[in-house]
Amino acid sequence: MGNASDTALFVSTISKELDFLMGILYSIFCVLSLLGNGILMLVAYRKRLSLKPAEFFIINLSISDLGMTLSLFPLAIPSAFAHKWLFDEITCQFYAMCGVLFGLCSLTNLTALSSICCLKVSFPNYGNKFSSSHACVLVVAVWCYASVFAISPLAQWGHYGPEPYGTACCIDWHAPNHELSALSYIVCLFLFCYALPCTVIFLSYTFILLTVRGSRRAVQQHVSSQTKTTNAHSLIVKLSVAVCIGFLGAWSPYAIVAMWAAFGDATIVPPAAFALAAIFAKSSTIYNPMVYLLCKPNFRKCLCRDTSTFRNRICRGSPRPEQKDPFGSISQPSQRNNKEMSISYGQPESPVACLHCAEDGAPCQTGTTSQRTACILTGSTYGEVTVSQLSANLQADFL
């Protein structure tokens, strides 16, 4: 873990090349996380009045990812490039506590979200009773659950210390080798913050997949497989698989290496293994917003709509120059609202009656030669004339 010096609390134990690579990757993760989670929060704010209870957990997940991004990366990036920890012991404790707090909050949040999805899909009688107030209570419980394990090392149940690779801080994985209380903390952390969430997530999505499979068979017996119900089920399956892969891909490497150090001989665990595992764990801050922005249908639609609106404003510029309307004068809002015109190619447009029909509602004569007509709205009154009756300028504008 390095030697103390006048300029650093501890120094890196991995190569400068690997430290430089970590600095580059952390910088990329930081930018992408700020963009992804910022967009997710913006979309959630735009549709805040129509948020569903389960979507509260998606927002909470984004908050915890942003918290990890803002508290860890600004300290880890310069330390990685400097090849040593640049800050003091108190900052080290703060860094480690934030890493555990926001990391466990994200994992616990995913567990709660999977449980709610399971209730909604597999047990609708109970899931339909889940309200926004229930979601708020559960979100608070998620933070309290994570806080218990994050604050415990500060109360001497477990310890915080430098990471084995020397440019960051986390739980002291060497302490269980010679301290019983630290060992008990690691055991509880593994059981209640990794094994239990994994089990709940897998059971939840297993129930979802079984329910979807049974429902799809029932649907295929009565209607085409291309129905909205089947499409909705496919989206649920994709989201389920994406969340499971993200959970395991991001956190399992670090959990495996940490348990290796805690329950085995910590001195034989290569520091580079911890460094690579930490990179995977921190990548979860960019993975989660990508999953929900791309796979959550209503979030994706809202994002596409906002993106299209923003692009149109950029293309048009602001303010727009005054344009002439078809009548040759400068268009004003009052004038444009006062008179509108539309073209019909020989067919009546409801609710306006066709000029070639009798006023009493008799059907049109099919033998009548169709003519292009213009529907004119003056104030609140519709009128319709043939294009041939318009002035030459208006005919040129329409045709």
Side-chain angles (χ1 to χ4, degrees), residues 35-253:
L35 289 176
N37 289 289
I39 292 174
L40 184 60
M41 293 293 291
L42 178 62
V43 171
Y45 176 77
R46 292 293 301 274
K47 64 187 298 292
R48 61 190 181 278
L49 298 179
S50 60
L51 286 175
K52 301 175 183 178
E55 292 172 345
F56 284 36
F57 298 96
I58 298 177
I59 300 171
N60 191 43
L61 183 65
S62 183
I63 292 174
S64 64
D65 287 340
L66 280 175
M68 179 176 288
T69 300
L70 296 174
S71 61
L72 301 190
F73 287 129
L75 302 176
I77 292 173
S79 295
F81 284 126
H83 197 55
K84 60 186 177 183
W85 179 252
L86 296 176
F87 309 95
D88 57 15
E89 178 68 26
I90 296 178
T91 307
C92 178
Q93 297 284 315
F94 170 79
Y95 180 99
M97 187 197 69
C98 288
V100 174
L101 174 64
F102 293 120
L104 293 183
C105 184
S106 295
L107 300 185
T108 310
N109 197 81
L110 286 175
T111 306
L113 178 61
S114 67
S115 302
I116 300 307
C117 290
C118 182
L119 286 177
K120 290 285 188 180
V121 176
S122 301
F123 307 98
N125 290 335
Y126 298 99
N128 292 335
K129 298 178 182 179
F130 191 80
S131 64
S132 298
S133 59
H134 296 144
C136 292
V137 171
L138 202 51
V139 165
V140 173
V142 166
W143 283 98
C144 293
Y145 187 88
S147 298
V148 169
F149 291 93
I151 297 175
S152 293
L154 300 179
Q156 303 306 311
W157 185 38
H159 298 284
Y160 287 137
E163 288 270 25
Y165 54 87
T167 56
C169 298
C170 193
I171 297 169
D172 187 353
W173 302 110
H174 294 83
N177 294 155
H178 52 77
E179 189 175 333
L180 186 59
S181 64
L183 179 61
S184 65
Y185 173 76
I186 298 299
V187 170
C188 291
L189 189 70
F190 176 76
L191 291 178
F192 297 106
C193 298
Y194 182 75
L196 181 61
C198 270
T199 302
V200 172
I201 286 176
F202 272 109
L203 288 178
S204 298
Y205 286 119
T206 298
F207 279 119
I208 289 176
L209 294 176
L210 291 176
T211 303
V212 169
R213 185 178 180 183
S215 178
R216 178 174 293 177
R217 287 179 178 177
V219 169
Q220 289 177 345
Q221 291 177 357
H222 299 88
V223 296
S224 171
S225 60
Q226 298 298 322
T227 60
K228 293 182 179 180
T229 302
T230 303
N231 292 336
H233 290 165
S234 298
L235 288 173
I236 293 174
V237 172
K238 292 177 183 179
L239 186 59
S240 303
V241 173
V243 170
C244 289
I245 292 176
F247 181 89
L248 293 177
W251 290 102
S252 290

Side-chain angles (χ1 to χ4, degrees), residues 329-341:
S329 60
I330 300 298
S331 62
Q332 300 293 338
S334 59
Q335 293 178 349
R336 296 181 65 182
N337 293 332
N338 188 45
K339 182 174 290 187
E340 297 179 3
M341 304 184 67

Side-chain angles (χ1 to χ4, degrees), residues 40 61 65 106 110 246 283-293:
L40 184 60
L61 183 65
D65 287 340
S106 295
L110 286 175
S283 69
S284 66
T285 59
I286 65 172
Y287 185 79
N288 291 325
M290 289 175 57
V291 168
Y292 289 105
L293 283 175

Side-chain angles (χ1 to χ4, degrees), residues 54-55 58 239 291-301:
E55 292 172 345
I58 298 177
L239 186 59
V291 168
Y292 289 105
L293 283 175
L294 296 179
C295 298
K296 194 70 175 174
N298 52 352
F299 275 38
R300 186 174 65 246
K301 290 178 181 178

